[in-house]
Structure formats: C-alpha cells, structure tokens
Amino acid sequence: MARIIAIANQKGGVGKTTTAVNLSASLAVAEKDTLLVDLDPQANATSGAGIPKDFGGPSIYEVLIGKARARDAIQKTALQALSVLPSKPDLIGAEVELVGRSGSESLLKHALADLVAEFDFILLDCPPSLGLMTLNGLTAAHSVLIPIQCEYYALEGLGRLLETIRLVRMGLNRELAIEGGLLTMYDGRLTLARQVVENVRRNFPGPVFSTVIPRSIRLSEAPSFGQPILLYDIRSAGAEAYLSLAEEVIHGAAPGSRSGA
C-alpha cells in the first residue's frame, strides 16, 4: 500500500515543486514505485519530471471532474519506477467547476483509491495556496511534508497551513500527520541561513528532517531541461541532498517522524 505524502506550503518560492520532482525521482532510484501527482495548474512538476506540455491524453483535471480514470491519465518518465499524473493549465478552472459540489474535497482521495496498491509512494505537489486543490491533497494524504526556505521570515505564514491541517484532521482526514519540515535553499556561507536552521529546528511544531537542501544553480537549471536533478547532474550537491532526503522518508528518520502535532 502506498504512503501518500502531500508536499504543501501556501507560500510560493520555497522549493515545493523542486522537492516534489526530486524527492519522487530519488525514491524511484531507490527502487520504490512512485507516482507524482501534479495538483498545480502551472504544471511545473509535470514538465520538471520530463512530461512535455503537449502530452497526449487526460490530465488530473479530467480525473477530478470525472471524465477520466486516474489510471488512464498516468504518464511514464525516463525513470522506470517513476510515473506522473500530470497537470495542465485548465486545472485552474476546476475550483470554479467543483465549488459547492458535495464531497468536492475528497475527489482526489477517491480517484487514487484503485492505485494505492500499485505504488510504494504517491507524492502530491500542491499549489501555493490553501484552495480546493490543496484541500484535496490534504484529504487524500497520510502526511504532509512542508518545505521551508532558509530566509528571515521562514516560519511566517505557516500558522495558516498548520491551522488548515488541524481542521482537515478534525473533519476530513483524522490520520493526517506532519511528515516533517524540510529546510530548503540553504547557503552555509550566510550567518542568517545558519540562524534560520537553528530557529526552525527549535520552533517548528513537528519533526524537521536532518537533510537540508542547498541553494544550487544546478537544481535551478534542471527543470528547464525537463529533468530531475539525478538525471541532469547526479554528482551535484542537490542530487546528494535529495537522495539523502529519500532515505529519511523511506526509513521515517526525521526525529519524531509523522507527528500529529
């Protein structure tokens, strides 16, 4: 049975999609059958995993509005163990079409029900908002991985996400846990970055992964080539970091991993 992990933070630019793509690829390289689900209308996880923008077939949009089965929308990637349930810009209309529909927050959970036995991990790349797509991700997931950029206001705004997680846990998904906070875009040359790491480890209300994702030009370049960092430059610091993160996720190595806090 798959572990379903939502990767969420309503704050943009924190490395959420970078983490979704590269953690998925790293799990696949570790011989874990992995499905990456792109819930963002920008479709950056889709293209970053190597799926062309003009791919044929249905997307997550058609799946959520009931015009296709999730199984029929899956696209294969260059990595044998990694598949993608892709997104397209028309997903932006889904929230309008689905608003007010009974059970709209559980559509993804139902769509993935017949796939959980076929994968070891299902990762959900949520959009940078707390709208219906993110709510679907939190309702379907077993846990939430929260990327946190190493900047001065690192923890600012997380209160809203944590409150949303609490409400989802109360009404829609009692089992939802915090997989861990993930520090991203770390530059060890900066005193501020080191201070942010200490602050997050001290004050984040849940486990924090030991792995810290470095600020990396190679990580920034890889999406423009439609490749995870492991295919673009496996010797880079970014590739090493995501392989390390995958090991933590596989073994539940984050201190206090999968906290209900």
Side-chain angles (χ1 to χ4, degrees):
M1 294 290 286
R3 274 173 59 191
I4 304 177
I5 303 174
I7 300 175
N9 190 329
Q10 81 275 13
K11 187 176 182 182
V14 298
K16 180 182 56 60
T17 296
T18 296
T19 294
V21 170
N22 291 299
L23 175 57
S24 296
S26 298
L27 290 168
V29 167
E31 300 184 340
K32 301 296 181 181
D33 288 322
T34 303
L35 176 65
L36 172 60
V37 181
D38 191 348
L39 294 173
D40 191 337
Q42 297 179 83
N44 289 332
T46 298
S47 59
I51 309 300
K53 292 185 181 295
D54 58 351
F55 67 88
S59 69
I60 188 64
Y61 170 72
E62 285 82 8
V63 172
L64 292 176
I65 65 172
K67 290 188 176 181
R69 297 188 307 163
R71 183 184 310 281
D72 297 330
I74 290 175
Q75 299 275 332
K76 297 298 294 180
T77 73
L79 294 171
Q80 183 176 357
L82 177 60
S83 301
V84 176
L85 185 47
S87 180
K88 289 180 180 177
D90 54 9
L91 181 62
I92 200 167
E95 295 206 24
V96 176
E97 294 181 49
L98 297 173
V99 68
R101 180 187 295 188
S102 177
S104 61
E105 68 283 342
S106 299
L107 292 171
L108 180 64
K109 179 178 181 179
H110 297 316
L112 296 177
D114 66 342
L115 296 177
V116 293
E118 300 179 20
F119 293 93
D120 298 305
F121 288 91
I122 298 177
L123 270 58
L124 314 175
D125 183 35
C126 299
S129 70
L130 294 178
L132 184 59
M133 291 302 103
T134 296
L135 187 58
N136 264 268
L138 297 178
T139 301
H142 298 123
S143 60
V144 190
L145 188 156
I146 305 173
I148 304 167
Q149 185 179 356
C150 291
E151 62 173 16
Y152 186 74
Y153 294 111
L155 295 174
E156 186 175 287
L158 277 184
R160 287 184 60 211
L161 175 59
L162 294 171
E163 175 64 10
T164 299
I165 291 171
R166 186 185 71 83
L167 293 173
V168 168
R169 191 180 290 140
M170 287 177 58
L172 298 168
N173 183 1
R174 289 185 179 182
E175 303 305 315
L176 184 63
I178 295 178
E179 186 76 26
L182 174 67
L183 289 152
T184 64
M185 303 182 188
Y186 175 74
D187 187 341
R189 299 170 299 179
L190 303 179
T191 300
L192 173 61
R194 297 194 296 272
Q195 292 173 340
V196 167
V197 170
E198 294 175 6
N199 181 45
V200 170
R201 294 198 187 283
R202 186 168 56 248
N203 295 306
F204 183 74
V208 178
F209 288 101
S210 298
T211 299
V212 176
I213 307 301
R215 186 177 293 278
S216 164
I217 293 175
R218 305 299 274 174
L219 271 176
S220 300
E221 290 174 343
S224 65
F225 290 89
Q227 293 181 326
I229 189 62
L230 294 178
L231 295 180
Y232 182 64
D233 187 354
I234 196 169
R235 294 183 179 86
S236 66
E240 292 179 3
Y242 277 109
L243 287 169
S244 173
L245 176 63
E247 286 297 311
E248 288 199 67
V249 169
I250 290 168
H251 298 295
S257 183
R258 309 197 66 189
S259 167

